[in-house]
Amino acid sequence: MTRVLVVEDDPQLVRALVINMQARQYGVDAAPDGATALRLAAMRQPDVVMLDLGLPDMDGVDVIKALRGWTRVPILVLSARQASDEKVAALDAGADDYITKPFSMDELLARLRAAVRRVEDVPLAPTTTLVTTDDFTIDLLAKRATRGGHDIRLTPTEWHLLEILITNPGRLVTQKYLLQEVWGVSQSNKTNYLRVYMAQLRRKLEGDPSSPRYLITEPGMGYRFEG
């Protein structure tokens, strides 16, 4: 399911957007202000962000800049601002599309589908392919892990989990995101899966699994990799 984060402080418009998108099988989260939007974006990892520029707590352009600090998710601006310099500022900050209010729902949904297609057309090659630490080396392209000069056998599930973490170095990756990516949406509440597999990875990779240096737990939130 494609997840959309709607950032808009007009409750009537939010309701209309949610109803129309859910009817077309999109998953929708809504944020009434910039701070909530940034928190939800980190937690929910949306596939597309729809963003109003006129938010109560911060300018939408600042939200775009904050998002672009860590994600390439498509951002569709929905705004009553029609001046060309406003559009240029949003696009220069990293927005992918700009739709002026009022707009037709059909046009908006067509723009949304186009944004999703563009993402699907881009192969997801990890920017990090070789990670070397004091204790182990991971080669993502060769699917090879070594420690002390010896190969480490990792299961496909362990590889998938590790790949997500090490291609997002230093960033919190939420439990829900990991569960959905590795085991599927139906298992998104099975946090015990994560605990078991993270323990296995630590036993195989960490010098001291009981006091991990690389695979860090953020209690109640998720995990991060520190290279």
Side-chain angles (χ1 to χ4, degrees):
M1 178 184 289
T2 300
R3 295 214 65 81
V4 182
L5 173 59
V6 175
V7 188
E8 169 64 61
D9 64 341
D10 179 343
Q12 287 185 313
L13 178 55
V14 170
R15 177 174 167 76
L17 290 170
V18 169
I19 289 172
N20 275 276
M21 285 190 284
Q22 287 183 341
R24 290 160 178 82
Q25 307 305 309
Y26 291 100
V28 189
D29 295 302
D33 54 56
T36 305
L38 294 174
R39 187 172 70 251
L40 279 175
M43 290 174 54
R44 304 284 283 170
Q45 307 277 335
D47 300 295
V48 181
V49 174
M50 288 186 177
L51 172 69
D52 181 23
L53 294 182
L55 299 172
D57 61 337
M58 60 195 296
D59 192 275
V61 172
D62 293 326
V63 176
I64 297 171
K65 291 176 180 176
L67 288 171
R68 284 293 173 254
W70 63 274
T71 180
R72 301 309 304 165
V73 63
I75 300 173
L76 278 60
V77 169
L78 314 178
S79 180
R81 303 177 187 176
Q82 299 189 26
S84 61
D85 59 338
E86 300 272 15
K87 296 180 181 180
V88 169
L91 294 168
D92 281 349
D96 296 272
D97 203 349
Y98 195 107
I99 305 162
T100 54
K101 299 176 182 177
F103 50 79
S104 78
M105 193 61 67
D106 286 343
E107 178 188 359
L108 176 66
L109 292 168
R111 301 275 191 104
L112 173 60
R113 290 193 297 272
V116 172
R117 279 198 305 273
R118 285 196 294 273
V119 172
E120 291 173 345
D121 288 343
V122 176
L124 295 176
T127 55
T128 303
T129 58
L130 183 66
V131 174
T132 302
T133 72
D134 292 341
D135 291 286
F136 57 85
T137 299
I138 305 293
D139 186 334
L140 291 178
L141 290 181
K143 284 285 192 287
R144 186 183 183 200
T146 57
R147 181 178 173 193
H150 300 285
D151 285 345
I152 305 167
R153 184 184 174 277
L154 298 179
T155 67
T157 299
E158 289 168 348
W159 265 116
H160 195 175
L161 187 57
L162 183 62
E163 184 175 47
I164 294 171
L165 291 170
I166 67 178
T167 53
N168 292 279
R171 296 176 186 159
L172 167 69
V173 183
T174 64
Q175 293 176 345
K176 187 176 184 68
Y177 180 76
L178 288 168
L179 286 163
Q180 288 182 343
E181 287 295 304
V182 178
W183 287 278
V185 173
S186 64
Q187 308 298 330
S188 61
N189 62 342
K190 302 291 181 66
T191 55
N192 57 308
Y193 287 10
L194 275 176
R195 286 194 295 272
V196 169
Y197 275 88
M198 289 301 294
Q200 290 175 187
L201 282 171
R202 285 171 176 147
R203 280 197 298 272
K204 293 179 179 183
L205 298 174
E206 296 274 4
D208 181 1
S210 63
S211 181
R213 175 179 171 186
Y214 306 102
L215 301 170
I216 310 300
T217 300
E218 296 288 355
M221 296 188 291
Y223 301 88
R224 61 185 166 84
F225 173 74
E226 291 292 347

